[in-house]
Amino acid sequence: MKTSLSSKDILSLQDISASEISSILSLASKLKKDLRKKDFSKLLTGKILGMIFQKPSTRTRVSFESAMIQMGGSAISLNSSDIQLSRGESVDDTARTLSLYLNCLMARVYDHSDIEKLAINSSIPVINGLSNLFHPCQILADLLTIKEHKKNFKNLNLAWIGDGNNVCNDLLLGCSKTGINIKVACPKGYEPPSWIIKIAKDSCINSNCNVDILNDPIKAVLDADVVVTDTFMSIGMEQEKIKREQIFLPKYQVNSDLMKFADKDVIFMHCLPAKRGQEVTSDVIDGTSSVVWDEAENRLHVQKAILYMLMKKK
Ligand code: CP
Ligand code: NVA
């Protein structure tokens, strides 16, 4: 098992190979099992993670900070409104400065180009904690959750229902690298970007799986082992609420009528936060097939694996 990563940064799952994904998941599982023994409590002693937030966060913020504390390090949360970024200091100069004080930087940004600028101008590893385009740490936690419930990825069918958004984009990359067949069902005009679909389709050739982009949720869910959705109003899209509700509802809601088309042992996943009654109904997210709390817990274990693998070589 590899214990370091070839890329300095994790901006999307494009930065991580299939074998590196496997190593991250193995280390995360090991750290999860060791939680009670706390064998890992000194792995990052003296290391400091900085966390820039341009947007709100519950899971990403707390799982990263807890991960650092549990491994003997510490984390500093930097709301972008509280630092000089809010007064016009450039992202580039912010990255150069923070590199002098920290060992690793995680950032949640609106525009993906900001995380790219942070990475280019930092001498320390930079992790994308969600941008308009990608959410790599979420998908690593999702893959760990799928592995725990389905044992392996081969011949699995995953259906994504809803918006072709940041979470969907990295899920396309993650499934196509690990060999999970993925069907994405979105309203016309809300599909993932064509360049990301192309990368996923190319990657499928090596891992022997399929990527299908559809508009029909029933076709996507038919015999699915895993059904995944997310809000159709990502942070920053609040002004599109009425338009999006008309486009996505009722057809793209994951409810028990839709779940009937899936495999009998289907699991339901959602990165959270969820809006019950919108993209998913309460009976599905709170029902027996839902694994959303395992998924949320796994954010912590995956963050630990990522942080260790990125900082170990520093
Ligand atoms: N899933 C996720 O990233 O949650 P937060 O927005 O609460 O961090
Ligand atoms: N797609 C959502 C994910 C939140 C974790 C958003 O960008 O707001």
Side-chain angles (χ1 to χ4, degrees):
M1 181 174 79
K2 286 181 72 172
T3 53
S4 61
L5 299 175
S6 50
S7 170
K8 174 178 90 65
D9 312 298
I10 302 179
L11 306 192
S12 78
L13 289 191
Q14 281 176 279
D15 294 324
I16 309 176
S17 68
S19 76
E20 287 175 332
I21 291 177
S22 167
S23 299
I24 291 170
L25 302 189
S26 298
L27 180 58
S29 294
K30 189 171 181 303
L31 293 169
K32 185 173 181 175
K33 285 196 197 97
D34 284 352
L35 193 56
R36 285 179 50 205
K37 287 189 272 165
K38 293 197 169 26
D39 280 351
F40 52 78
S41 61
K42 294 194 174 75
L43 286 180
L44 292 181
T45 301
K47 303 284 187 192
I48 307 172
L49 171 74
M51 308 189 292
I52 296 179
F53 288 98
Q54 292 180 357
K55 305 177 184 179
S57 164
T58 300
R59 280 143 289 268
T60 305
R61 179 191 304 262
V62 180
S63 59
F64 267 107
E65 182 159 352
S66 299
M68 287 303 293
I69 294 169
Q70 288 184 5
M71 291 194 293
S74 50
I76 302 173
S77 192
L78 303 159
N79 277 346
S80 58
S81 56
D82 294 338
I83 56 178
Q84 297 285 15
L85 267 178
S86 64
R87 294 182 58 252
E89 184 169 23
S90 70
V91 173
D92 297 10
D93 285 355
T94 303
R96 291 180 189 117
T97 305
L98 293 179
S99 294
L100 305 172
Y101 310 136
L102 302 169
N103 304 99
C104 186
L105 183 63
M106 186 276 286
R108 171 167 283 200
V109 299
Y110 280 98
D111 193 334
H112 191 73
S113 67
D114 278 353
I115 196 95
E116 290 175 333
K117 285 184 209 161
L118 284 172
I120 290 166
N121 291 287
S122 292
S123 56
I124 56 175
V126 172
I127 303 170
N128 182 0
L130 184 136
S131 67
N132 62 322
L133 276 183
F134 293 111
H135 198 3
C137 308
Q138 178 67 53
I139 300 311
L140 291 167
D142 290 5
L143 291 171
L144 179 61
T145 311
I146 294 170
K147 198 173 163 203
E148 288 172 346
H149 284 273
K150 297 290 177 188
K151 306 302 169 215
N152 63 55
F153 299 137
K154 207 82 220 126
N155 299 321
L156 277 188
N157 296 313
L158 181 148
W160 170 274
I161 308 299
D163 195 12
N165 66 9
N166 40 13
V167 177
C168 178
N169 291 342
D170 257 326
L171 190 60
L172 275 166
L173 301 179
C175 287
S176 60
K177 283 184 188 227
T178 54
I180 300 173
N181 298 309
I182 176 167
K183 290 191 172 121
V184 170
C186 309
K188 279 199 167 49
Y190 291 82
E191 295 91 348
S194 54
W195 64 272
I196 295 176
I197 297 170
K198 182 174 182 327
I199 294 172
K201 288 197 167 175
D202 288 349
S203 170
C204 275
I205 298 166
N206 289 331
S207 54
N208 201 22
C209 62
N210 295 307
V211 169
D212 291 295
I213 311 297
L214 315 168
N215 302 115
D216 183 348
I218 295 175
K219 277 191 188 151
V221 165
L222 203 61
D223 297 328
D225 303 291
V226 184
V227 172
V228 194
T229 191
D230 181 18
T231 180
F232 48 79
M233 265 176 305
S234 287
I235 305 166
M237 292 178 181
E238 291 75 13
Q239 73 290 355
E240 295 178 41
K241 183 174 188 290
I242 293 170
K243 181 182 152 205
R244 282 181 171 258
E245 280 177 351
Q246 285 166 353
I247 289 168
F248 284 87
L249 295 178
K251 188 172 171 183
Y252 294 90
Q253 181 185 69
V254 178
N255 52 37
S256 49
D257 285 343
L258 184 64
M259 290 295 277
K260 281 184 193 135
F261 292 95
D263 183 80
K264 66 176 181 23
D265 296 321
V266 65
I267 56 171
F268 169 77
M269 300 179 67
H270 189 310
C271 63
L272 306 177
K275 289 199 171 71
R276 287 171 173 76
Q278 295 230 334
E279 73 273 10
V280 61
T281 52
S282 300
D283 56 345
V284 171
I285 193 168
D286 300 323
T288 51
S289 59
S290 175
V291 298
V292 298
W293 303 114
D294 293 341
E295 193 181 353
E297 181 190 338
N298 283 337
R299 295 294 307 274
L300 172 68
H301 308 298
V302 159
Q303 317 303 28
K304 279 191 272 202
I306 297 168
L307 289 164
Y308 176 71
M309 290 172 86
L310 285 175
M311 276 189 265
K312 187 180 161 275
K313 58 187 171 178
K314 291 280 147 193

